[in-house]
Amino acid sequence: MRRDIQPNERAFSTKEAAEEVGIATPTVRKYGQILERNGYEFLKDGDRRIFVQSDIGVLIALRDTDKPLDETAKDIVNQQKERIKDSTETEMALSIPYGNLPQDPNQLKEILMFLVNEVAATREVNAQLTNDLSQLKTHVSRLQQDHHVISSNIANSAQKTITKIEKLSEQQNTHYETLLQHEKEKSEFLQKEIQNLRDEQSKEWISQNEFNKRLEEAIQKQKPKEKWWGLFSIFQK
């Protein structure tokens, strides 16, 4: 029987426990089965489980654990056994008669109230420590998730940057190749123009040489009086 429940402690139904923890009702039943399978004790109304505040902390611990559920359940059961053992020892200590206790009922009542308050304070501290541990596990879990998200974002950003660099490099190469091809075509065109000019100049030189030869031959063949007339007739050709 459980001895770690405080007087007038609030009780929760399965549905209320699910709402308190923020999980589905079937999940609460699943956690209850896992806990009982490993030796955890619930308050029962027949076959129906009744949850108290310490049970809510246990459900939160199962919700936020990174370990296998059965392994976490065993740790929780060991903690519950220690709490029940401490509570039982306290009750036994309170029930043992002490020969040195004062006989005055008022003084005895004050001592008993002091002991009860100490026990209640100890339970409150234990509950707070359990809650702090649960919150710490939740915080660690969120940090792990944030780390995973940040790592994924960094990896995605790095990949996008690499892709952009590769794309820019490819565009640069394409641009350089286009410029090179354009310069090559321009050079070929200029070479052709130069060659055409050389060909035309060569033709002009040949034509001029032929003209000069005809002129010289005509002058040599004409008589002195006919030289000027022959000269004019050559220009007329």
Side-chain angles (χ1 to χ4, degrees):
M1 179 178 178
R2 291 184 61 169
R3 298 177 181 272
D4 61 335
I5 300 174
Q6 300 181 16
N8 301 321
E9 188 170 357
R10 179 185 172 184
F12 299 84
S13 66
T14 300
K15 182 178 179 182
E16 291 171 338
E19 293 173 352
E20 189 75 12
V21 178
I23 57 178
T25 302
T27 305
V28 174
R29 295 194 183 97
K30 173 186 174 182
Y31 286 173
Q33 292 171 357
I34 293 172
L35 288 165
E36 287 180 337
R37 185 170 68 221
N38 287 277
Y40 191 87
E41 294 185 19
F42 286 102
L43 288 177
K44 290 287 190 73
D45 181 11
D47 293 333
R48 186 168 63 90
R49 298 185 188 90
I50 300 174
F51 298 87
V52 293
Q53 192 61 48
S54 58
D55 298 328
I56 298 298
V58 168
L59 294 175
I60 292 174
L62 280 177
R63 180 197 67 186
D64 298 335
T65 185
D66 295 328
K67 299 188 297 184
L69 293 178
D70 279 297
E71 185 176 342
T72 303
K74 289 177 182 179
D75 294 338
I76 292 171
V77 169
N78 291 332
Q79 294 173 8
Q80 185 191 51
K81 288 179 179 179
E82 289 296 326
R83 288 199 306 272
I84 293 174
K85 179 181 177 182
D86 292 343
S87 177
T88 302
E89 290 176 352
T90 301
E91 291 179 2
M92 290 177 62
L94 290 175
S95 64
I96 296 175
Y98 290 91
N100 295 328
L101 289 176
Q103 298 299 319
D104 187 350
N106 291 328
Q107 291 182 353
L108 182 60
K109 183 178 179 180
E110 289 180 1
I111 293 174
L112 291 176
M113 286 300 298
F114 174 78
L115 292 175
V116 169
N117 290 335
E118 286 295 315
V119 172
T122 301
R123 287 177 175 175
E124 185 176 352
V125 170
N126 288 337
Q128 184 62 42
L129 288 174
T130 301
N131 184 53
D132 291 345
L133 178 61
S134 175
Q135 291 180 358
L136 181 60
K137 288 183 177 180
T138 302
H139 184 62
V140 170
S141 177
R142 288 175 181 173
L143 286 176
Q144 290 175 340
Q145 292 176 359
D146 292 343
H147 175 71
H148 177 71
V149 171
I150 291 172
S151 298
S152 299
N153 289 338
I154 291 174
N156 292 336
S157 177
Q159 184 60 42
K160 289 179 180 178
T161 302
I162 292 173
T163 302
K164 286 182 179 179
I165 292 173
E166 291 177 347
K167 187 175 181 180
L168 287 173
S169 178
E170 182 179 354
Q171 290 175 349
Q172 263 192 338
N173 290 335
T174 303
H175 179 66
Y176 289 149
E177 288 177 359
T178 302
L179 288 177
L180 182 62
Q181 182 65 28
H182 179 71
E183 291 297 324
K184 184 178 179 181
E185 292 175 355
K186 185 177 179 180
S187 176
E188 290 177 352
F189 175 77
L190 290 174
Q191 288 178 0
K192 288 181 180 179
E193 287 294 317
I194 292 172
Q195 185 63 41
N196 290 336
L197 289 173
R198 287 176 178 173
D199 292 342
E200 289 179 3
Q201 189 177 27
S202 178
K203 289 179 181 179
E204 287 293 331
W205 287 345
I206 293 172
S207 176
Q208 186 65 39
N209 288 333
E210 290 178 351
F211 175 77
N212 291 337
K213 287 180 180 179
R214 289 200 307 271
L215 179 60
E216 185 178 353
E217 291 174 354
I219 292 173
Q220 291 176 355
K221 291 179 180 179
Q222 295 296 327
K223 296 178 179 180
K225 292 181 177 181
E226 298 176 351
K227 285 184 179 180
W228 292 107
W229 174 254
L231 181 60
F232 287 122
S233 64
I234 291 173
F235 283 106
Q236 291 175 355
K237 290 182 180 181

